[in-house]
Each structure stands twice: as C-alpha cells, then as structure tokens.
C-alpha cells in the first residue's frame, strides 16, 4: 500500500466530509462500507478500491483528482446529489420495491415496527 497516497485520500475525504457536515457513519452508509473501514480510510490506514473511490467521490461531491491529491487548491465540487445513497445494496432495493406495493395502512404499520426496533436499539 502506498502510505502517502492513503494519507492524501484520507485527509481530503475528512475535509470534504466536514465541509458537508456529515459524520463518518453517514459517509460510510452512503458509500456502502462499514464505518470502521471508512474511519481507517480517513486515518490513512487503508486505500479504497476503485469502486469505493468512485462512490466516495459521488457522496462527498468531490472530483477524483482532488481526492487523490492530483489537483491543486481546494476540492472541486462535482455535480450530483449529496444526500441519496450512490448504490443501494440489492436487499434494500428489494425491500423498497415491496414497501412501495403496500397499501397506506400497511405501510404505516411497517413504519411503526421499524421505529420501535430502532428505539430498542438505541437503549
């Protein structure tokens, strides 16, 4: 692994994340990687794969050249949404399709179940 490149990518990713007001968990979720992996990436301990690098650029609204330290100056913003996930995993896409097919009352019931599960998880 090229440690200098890993540190460059990590530093640029951290700055872009802070600029967008996102947490490490936010970025990791949107990129589709574990938060621990993203944290190590920001600290320059691991380099992203090409696929992850592409997703990272989209989520952080950064040009790949800026993220890789190839362009001078401030990161160049790229067009694209900040919030939505770049590529949802197949299981989530299937779940969303199923939820869209529900009647409003059934959808409300599912929302209540999910909110209850999240509330238990936070305890």
């Amino acid at each position: 692994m090229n440690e200098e490149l890993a540190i460059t990518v990590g530093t640029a990713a951290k700055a872009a994340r802070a600029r967008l007001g996102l947490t490490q968990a936010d970025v990791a979720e949107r990129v589709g990687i574990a938060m621990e992996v993203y944290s190590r990436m920001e600290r320059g301990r691991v380099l992203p794969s090409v696929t992850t690098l592409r997703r990272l650029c989209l989520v952080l609204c950064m040009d790949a050249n800026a993220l890789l330290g190839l362009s001078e100056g401030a990161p160049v913003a790229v067009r694209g949404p900040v919030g939505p996930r770049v590529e949802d995993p197949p299981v989530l896409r299937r779940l969303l399709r199923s939820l869209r097919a529900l009647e409003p009352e059934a959808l409300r019931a599912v929302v209540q179940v999910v909110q209850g599960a999240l509330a238990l998880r936070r305890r």
Side-chain angles (χ1 to χ4, degrees):
M1 176 183 80
N2 183 330
E3 289 181 37
E4 184 180 334
L5 179 58
I7 291 169
T8 299
V9 169
T11 302
K14 183 176 183 177
R17 177 180 61 79
R19 174 178 46 85
L20 294 171
L22 299 172
T23 65
Q24 286 185 342
D26 292 333
V27 175
E29 180 184 353
R30 293 171 187 187
V31 171
I33 59 176
M35 205 277 293
E36 294 78 11
V37 173
Y38 180 73
S39 177
R40 290 196 325 254
M41 195 181 310
E42 269 197 11
R43 288 181 283 139
R45 304 268 194 247
V46 66
L47 276 170
S49 67
V50 173
T51 303
T52 300
L53 181 69
R54 179 180 179 275
R55 291 178 188 155
L56 197 57
C57 289
L58 292 170
V59 168
L60 296 175
C61 296
M62 275 190 88
D63 179 76
N65 287 327
L67 193 61
L68 293 170
L70 298 174
S71 62
E72 304 257 341
V76 178
V78 293
R79 292 185 184 265
V82 175
R85 287 163 188 72
V86 178
E87 296 176 22
D88 287 325
V91 67
L92 184 56
R93 290 194 306 263
R94 286 192 300 271
L95 178 61
L96 287 172
R97 279 195 304 272
S98 297
L99 291 173
R100 287 187 184 110
L102 293 177
E103 296 294 324
E105 187 174 320
L107 185 57
R108 281 191 293 276
V110 170
V111 168
Q112 288 178 339
V113 169
V114 171
Q115 288 173 338
L118 290 173
L120 288 174
R121 186 175 171 206
R122 291 183 194 124
R123 290 184 186 178

